[in-house]
Amino acid sequence: MENGRRIETLSGQIVDVIHANDASGYSVLEIEEAEGGDRVTAVGYIPFPGIGEFLTASGYYEVHSRYGMQFKCIEMDRELPSSTGAMLNYLASGVIKGIGKVTAAKIIAKFGEDTFDVIEYQPELLTQIKGITLSRAKELSAEFTTKLVIKDLMSYIAKYDLTPSMAYQVYQNFGANSIEIITENPYVLALPPFFADFPKVDNMALSIGFEPDDDVRLEAGAVFELHFNQNDGHVFIPFDLLCGVTAKLLRAPIDQVSRAVAAAAEKGIIVRQQADGYDACYLQHLYSAEVRTAERIAFCSSLKFDMPPNIDEVIAAVEKQQGIEYDQKQIEAIKTAVSSPIMVLTGGPGTGKTTAVRGILAVLERIGSKIALAAPTGRAAKRMSELCGREAKTIHRLLEVGFDRNGMKFLHDQSDPLDADAVIVDEMSMVDLTLMDALLSAMKKGSRMILVGDPDQLPSVGPGTVLKNILDSGVVKNVHLDKIFRQAQESDIIVNAHAVNRGEMPTLHHNKKDFFFMNRSDEEAAAETIVELCAQRLPKSMDFDRYEIQVISPSRKNGCGVELLNRMLQARLNPPAPDKKERRFGEVIFREHDKVMQIKNNYDLPWRKKDSEEVGLGVFNGDIGLIKSIDYGAQTLTVQFDDKLSTYSFDMLGELEHAYAVTVHKAQGSEFRAVVFAAVLKNSRLLNRSLFYTAITRAKEMLVIVGDPESVETMTANRNRRKRLSALTERILAEVEHGKDPKLA
């Protein structure tokens, strides 16, 4: 049984390819049954189907609401056609690009039943066909062979409930020997660049003969745990803790795991050394990133640029041009940026950070510097562009993403540095260790780096607390802006944000300007109020578009968590309708016009500009968009992110989730015209001052807190942050003491 349905077997020849998605392997086929000759529509992950193939599949019949009765294939075997007539139909169907009906007929007439062997093993013989050159023959052979391998690979991994789309990535890394390699060590699929579900990979390994105490299994479990704990921001894990969680994951004796982890360190699979008072275990790339980042920061902090002799006149000229008068701290920030290879500019909302950044930008350009502006996320880069009046890029786009056999890489590095004399990075609290390492590696000799951020916000989603570590080291010059300017004092959002940051309760009962509190102690009542605010009250009374209102919650679960709020908001803001297509993915229904968010970095997902021919690659964690269309035939869903359109095959929908409501972490780096914040968790460990402060500062024009005063008080009073294991501060100080030169000068 499968999903309560009786499993049956379908055997027959493919007589028509109704639809085939090369990217996902999803196909819709017409099958002529071997017994009886009835024609059946078969659907499923059947990569590169060709007319004439013989298919034997297990699965079940289901009625599609639009296309009627279909056979859903779960597992299958496929045989290439063997008769010349079936082979002709196969090649003529276009399964190999460049071979049409006429060319297919010529090839079959020449080589008969040996055709497939010739294409795969002796492509040079194809040059006997008029119009096929040797290079073209090799291309046809390569495509034929590749499709055979990927077809078999997709079928193989599907048996273990692994996504068929992973087959492409596996093939790109391992080539024609993919099945042999992953059979020899299935655990490679649970690690970069694949990150398949570990229990599924473990089940695959055990089912093909791996022993529970195999060192390969134990080492893979430890490495997986190190990768997994990056999600909690840790750069390393103490040895004893790593052994404990790995033993639990694998249900293995702790002594076996300890020996395996120690052996993995000796073999260089992981790095084990004393760090920050711990017996620390690192992934190799995080260890290298921490060491390199410390070296470069320490070295840059030891340098100094000459201050231009006319700096005061330059600043005065910029003030006149921009119609502004900088205060003393802002002038200090500008001068520090000019005279330092690296500096940090910090401050809360309304303290003039943007004004100072504009001043730094203008002054550096007046002294002949070429400037690049960057931020960690697309929304943060867009906001920086709007505030500074010139293009800002995501850090990924600035460094330019490329790919090799090891997966994603940045094209700009030490060998090809950025063409910029200064790089200004906003929202530095969101920058993790690996991204900082990449950015520092791409800085050219003699350039400046200006890091702008608010250390009181939440730390990065990725590993490390880079901004905090740099500030804690005390070796990088930091200008902290703490004066709230008069215009900002008119905003209750800003005034209350600073009050919370000082540990003082915000004013909850003023409700006159842009900061409102609605007392709801019950989760159900709070959720209903939030939905009503988004659907009726704020759009009608304050003229906000429904999609401009962002609901933010501290948690995913509970009665006012993101998951429940998204279901409620979708039902109210975008209910089902005959003219709106929808697609279920697991427990989630995606519908045209839904507000959605990308929840993982996808560096090779194509996009195109809505009203131009510009194209590119990359959609990133936290990008918010709207579902514009769903295509049942192509099995795709198209999302518009600002002015860019990206198309997802249906098996990729795990990269999306609804974004009517998002967590505070996901909202970080963005500003929204109106924010509705759910505050009814009371004693949850999620509630702390940093989270509350970050949530407040996401609101640009209006903030409505729906919850109870006790939760607000808990958040305001709790300044505790969960410790992230990192030794960056310690390493920076050690590098300064040793005076090590990382060859950057």
Side-chain angles (χ1 to χ4, degrees):
M1 299 289 285
E2 175 82 10
N3 297 327
R5 299 178 174 91
R6 184 166 61 90
I7 298 299
E8 301 184 46
T9 300
L10 172 67
S11 296
Q13 192 174 62
I14 300 175
V15 293
D16 192 14
V17 178
I18 300 169
H19 168 75
N21 187 320
D22 286 353
S24 67
Y26 188 90
S27 299
V28 181
L29 310 174
E30 188 172 353
I31 307 293
E32 185 177 278
E33 289 188 286
E35 294 184 10
D38 292 337
R39 295 203 171 189
V40 176
T41 301
V43 300
Y45 292 99
I46 312 165
F48 309 122
I51 293 173
E53 280 190 79
F54 194 86
L55 175 76
T56 301
S58 63
Y60 53 85
Y61 286 95
E62 64 178 4
V63 179
H64 190 281
S65 60
R66 182 168 180 174
Y67 298 111
M69 184 67 73
Q70 297 179 336
F71 186 86
K72 179 80 171 180
C73 299
I74 301 173
E75 293 186 10
M76 71 208 70
D77 290 316
R78 294 161 62 185
E79 298 176 14
L80 287 174
S82 55
S83 68
T84 55
M87 291 171 113
L88 175 60
N89 290 335
Y90 179 84
L91 290 178
S93 69
V95 70
I96 302 177
K97 292 179 175 62
I99 298 181
K101 293 180 180 180
V102 174
T103 304
K106 292 179 180 179
I107 294 173
I108 295 294
K110 180 69 177 176
F111 302 110
E113 293 181 357
D114 295 329
T115 293
F116 291 157
D117 286 338
V118 168
I119 294 174
E120 186 172 3
Y121 302 113
Q122 296 178 287
E124 66 277 3
L125 297 181
L126 293 174
T127 59
Q128 298 176 31
I129 306 299
K130 186 177 181 180
I132 298 181
T133 63
L134 180 60
S135 62
R136 182 60 185 145
K138 290 180 178 179
E139 289 174 3
L140 295 174
S141 178
E143 183 181 352
F144 181 71
T145 304
T146 297
K147 287 184 173 180
L148 289 181
V149 173
I150 294 178
K151 177 195 73 172
D152 293 341
L153 185 57
M154 280 186 171
S155 298
Y156 182 75
I157 66 176
K159 292 190 296 186
Y160 303 101
D161 200 26
L162 295 168
T163 59
S165 60
M166 184 178 293
Y168 287 89
Q169 202 175 6
V170 173
Y171 181 80
Q172 287 171 351
N173 281 267
F174 301 139
N177 297 321
S178 292
I179 291 179
E180 290 82 355
I181 291 171
I182 65 174
T183 301
E184 182 179 346
N185 181 9
Y187 293 102
V188 297
L189 297 177
L191 304 176
F194 312 114
F195 291 115
D197 182 68
F198 189 89
K200 292 179 181 178
V201 172
D202 195 35
N203 176 61
M204 174 183 173
L206 295 173
S207 68
I208 63 177
F210 274 73
E211 296 296 331
D213 61 350
D214 193 306
D215 281 349
V216 172
R217 179 175 186 256
L218 301 178
E219 290 171 359
V223 174
F224 170 79
E225 284 292 351
L226 286 171
H227 279 287
F228 182 80
N229 276 275
Q230 291 181 86
N231 298 331
D232 288 329
H234 299 308
V235 179
F236 65 79
I237 303 178
F239 177 82
D240 289 342
L241 178 58
L242 176 60
C243 294
V245 295
T246 303
K248 185 176 180 180
L249 171 72
L250 300 176
R251 297 184 178 89
I254 187 72
D255 58 331
Q256 287 183 357
V257 173
S258 297
R259 286 195 297 270
V261 174
E266 291 177 3
K267 289 184 280 189
I269 296 172
I270 64 175
V271 176
R272 181 183 180 187
Q273 67 169 222
Q274 290 295 312
D276 200 29
Y278 294 95
D279 180 5
C281 294
Y282 287 83
L283 291 168
Q284 180 65 246
H285 78 279
L286 286 182
Y287 172 77
S288 299
E290 190 172 80
V291 169
R292 286 192 299 261
T293 299
E295 288 177 351
R296 292 185 173 99
I297 288 173
F299 178 71
C300 290
S301 68
S302 69
L303 303 178
K304 184 178 176 66
F305 293 139
D306 292 333
M307 186 78 74
N310 64 335
I311 186 64
D312 291 325
E313 288 85 351
V314 173
I315 293 174
V318 170
E319 286 180 312
K320 183 177 180 180
Q321 179 190 38
Q322 297 187 350
I324 195 170
E325 183 177 346
Y326 300 123
D327 78 345
Q328 217 40 50
K329 277 286 188 74
Q330 291 171 325
I331 291 175
E332 180 188 350
I334 294 170
K335 290 184 175 180
T336 303
V338 169
S339 61
S340 306
I342 184 169
M343 68 145 328
V344 181
L345 175 64
T346 58
T351 58
K353 285 204 307 293
T354 299
T355 299
V357 169
R358 286 188 189 129
I360 291 170
L361 179 62
V363 169
L364 287 175
E365 286 183 330
R366 279 180 175 257
I367 64 174
S369 296
K370 185 175 181 180
I371 318 297
L373 304 181
T377 68
R379 295 185 73 86
K382 182 181 179 183
R383 183 161 58 91
M384 191 181 191
S385 297
E386 293 168 351
L387 294 173
C388 293
R390 56 176 296 170
E391 183 185 22
K393 299 179 179 180
T394 63
I395 298 174
H396 289 85
R397 188 172 166 219
L398 179 70
L399 298 178
E400 296 189 56
V401 174
F403 298 90
D404 59 17
R405 287 183 60 84
N406 297 316
M408 190 276 293
K409 67 173 185 177
F410 290 116
L411 300 182
H412 289 292
D413 54 18
Q414 280 180 295
S415 61
D416 183 16
L418 294 167
D419 182 22
D421 303 307
V423 176
I424 303 176
V425 184
D426 199 9
E427 296 288 356
M428 258 304 296
S429 63
M430 299 181 67
V431 176
D432 64 26
L433 178 63
T434 55
L435 197 54
M436 187 64 179
D437 172 43
L439 190 56
L440 285 166
S441 297
M443 298 293 291
K444 73 177 182 181
K445 176 183 175 181
S447 60
R448 297 172 172 84
M449 178 177 278
I450 296 96
L451 310 176
V452 184
D454 187 343
D456 296 315
Q457 289 188 23
L458 290 170
S460 61
V461 174
T465 50
V466 173
L467 180 59
K468 180 180 184 299
N469 294 150
I470 292 173
L471 293 172
D472 287 348
S473 74
V475 306
V476 174
K477 291 186 178 180
N478 169 220
V479 178
H480 179 66
L481 305 179
D482 52 13
K483 174 185 174 182
I484 305 177
F485 286 86
R486 181 177 300 174
Q487 185 177 355
Q489 291 174 0
E490 298 297 315
S491 167
D492 284 345
I493 294 174
I494 292 176
V495 170
N496 280 315
H498 283 276
V500 166
N501 209 23
R502 294 191 299 269
E504 302 169 6
M505 274 288 285
T507 302
L508 298 182
H509 305 295
H510 191 236
N511 287 354
K512 288 184 179 179
K513 294 180 182 176
D514 53 9
F515 186 102
F516 299 86
F517 177 75
M518 302 184 73
N519 195 336
R520 302 288 188 276
S521 58
D522 175 73
E523 287 185 335
E524 183 177 348
E528 291 174 355
T529 298
I530 289 170
V531 172
E532 188 64 26
L533 283 167
C534 296
Q536 294 291 333
R537 297 176 65 171
L538 292 180
K540 284 189 175 182
S541 61
M542 306 303 296
D543 198 29
F544 288 115
D545 184 276
R546 291 178 176 183
Y547 292 105
E548 292 178 320
I549 304 165
Q550 185 60 59
V551 176
I552 299 178
S553 174
S555 70
R556 295 191 61 83
K557 307 293 183 179
N558 302 316
C560 259
V562 163
E563 293 179 1
L564 178 60
L565 287 172
N566 268 319
R567 290 195 295 270
M568 295 175 66
L569 288 162
Q570 182 198 35
R572 186 69 178 275
L573 300 179
N574 189 32
D579 62 338
K580 285 188 283 193
K581 298 176 185 175
E582 57 186 46
R583 172 71 180 186
R584 178 181 289 276
F585 187 85
E587 298 300 315
V588 179
I589 294 176
F590 292 104
R591 186 174 296 133
E592 288 178 336
H593 311 313
D594 269 343
K595 186 178 183 181
V596 292
M597 173 183 283
Q598 175 79 10
I599 59 173
K600 61 178 287 188
N601 289 336
N602 188 329
Y603 301 102
D604 55 355
L605 181 62
W607 54 258
R608 59 181 174 83
K609 283 288 185 71
K610 183 181 178 184
D611 297 315
S612 76
E613 296 182 358
E614 183 181 350
V615 297
L617 294 176
V619 179
F620 302 106
N621 190 356
D623 287 351
I624 293 177
L626 295 176
I627 297 177
K628 300 301 291 183
S629 64
I630 295 175
D631 187 328
Y632 292 134
Q635 298 284 302
T636 58
L637 177 153
T638 299
V639 180
Q640 181 176 330
F641 298 99
D642 292 324
D643 61 343
K644 297 176 182 177
L645 294 166
S646 288
T647 298
Y648 296 72
S649 58
F650 281 170
D651 66 307
M652 295 171 60
L653 296 185
E655 297 185 14
L656 294 172
E657 65 181 30
H658 287 124
Y660 299 102
V662 301
T663 61
V664 181
H665 275 97
K666 291 293 187 183
Q668 193 174 1
S670 300
E671 272 190 347
F672 308 95
R673 283 193 66 197
V675 168
V676 179
F677 179 60
V680 284
L681 284 179
K682 296 183 180 176
N683 297 321
S684 170
R685 65 181 181 85
L686 293 170
L687 300 185
N688 61 61
R689 188 183 304 170
S690 177
L691 179 141
F692 190 28
Y693 173 73
T694 303
I696 293 172
T697 53
R698 298 311 91 205
K700 187 176 181 180
E701 298 179 25
M702 176 174 290
L703 173 68
V704 183
I705 300 174
V706 180
D708 63 272
E710 183 181 345
S711 292
V712 173
E713 186 174 359
T714 299
M715 287 187 287
T716 304
N718 180 16
R719 63 178 301 178
N720 295 327
R721 290 189 179 190
R722 189 174 182 181
K723 180 176 173 59
R724 292 185 167 202
L725 297 172
S726 166
L728 181 59
T729 298
E730 177 189 50
R731 292 189 192 280
I732 293 172
L733 292 172
E735 291 297 331
V736 170
E737 182 179 347
H738 297 151
K740 186 175 178 181
D741 182 348
K743 309 301 181 186
L744 294 183

